Amino acid sequence: MHLVKKGLTRGTMLLLFMMVLSLLSYTNGASDEAIAYVFYGIIAFFLGVTSVIYLVGEWSFGKQIIVHYISMLLTVFPTLLLSGFYPTESFSDILQVFILFNKTGIILFFVTFFASKLIRTDRTKREV
């Protein structure tokens, strides 16, 4: 239950931040930007909520990755399709969004994975 609360807190904070940006854009007359910030906020919410998957110590790293990917596939991918950011008129269009979704996910995974390794290594050096 603690992780659920932590995930919801993270997701909500990110969503609220993006909603403030959306409201500011809307009041400045940039309604298209405001709508984009709403979708960014929804995606950020899902990312925040699911970030706690990597805190489940009983799960192997492989299981954490699989659960996170499935979570993103069920939340972020449909949000991208509904956002209007990409054409979705044909199966080919949707496939292109799916490929981009996976490419982005792989890049973000490796960046965060190696960053966390560097941070852990730096902490270990400081403790010695």
Side-chain angles (χ1 to χ4, degrees):
M1 190 60 171
H2 172 70
L3 288 180
V4 172
K5 185 177 177 183
K6 190 174 203 164
L8 287 171
T9 300
R10 289 177 178 183
T12 301
M13 295 297 285
L14 293 168
L15 177 63
L16 289 174
F17 176 73
M18 297 308 284
M19 292 303 105
V20 168
L21 292 178
S22 176
L23 185 60
L24 290 172
S25 292
Y26 185 76
T27 57
N28 288 325
S31 61
D32 287 344
E33 277 183 34
I35 292 168
Y37 281 125
V38 170
F39 282 103
Y40 295 150
I42 293 167
I43 291 168
F45 173 79
F46 292 138
L47 290 170
V49 168
T50 60
S51 68
V52 297
I53 289 170
Y54 295 100
L55 300 177
V56 180
E58 300 84 39
W59 289 0
S60 68
F61 188 54
K63 182 175 182 177
Q64 291 170 339
I65 292 168
I66 291 167
V67 170
H68 189 259
Y69 176 76
I70 291 169
S71 300
M72 294 295 95
L73 191 60
L74 295 173
T75 57
V76 172
F77 181 64
T79 304
L80 291 172
L81 294 177
L82 295 172
S83 69
F85 296 159
Y86 306 98
T88 56
E89 317 245 330
S90 68
F91 178 76
S92 177
D93 289 342
I94 294 170
L95 182 61
Q96 290 301 313
V97 177
F98 181 71
I99 291 168
L100 180 62
F101 166 81
N102 284 292
K103 282 181 184 177
T104 304
I106 289 169
I107 291 167
L108 290 174
F109 169 78
F110 280 112
V111 167
T112 56
F113 177 76
F114 289 120
S116 70
K117 289 286 189 192
L118 288 172
I119 291 167
R120 266 190 245 135
T121 302
D122 185 50
R123 284 184 187 159
T124 305
K125 286 180 184 177
R126 280 193 229 155
E127 290 174 2
V128 173

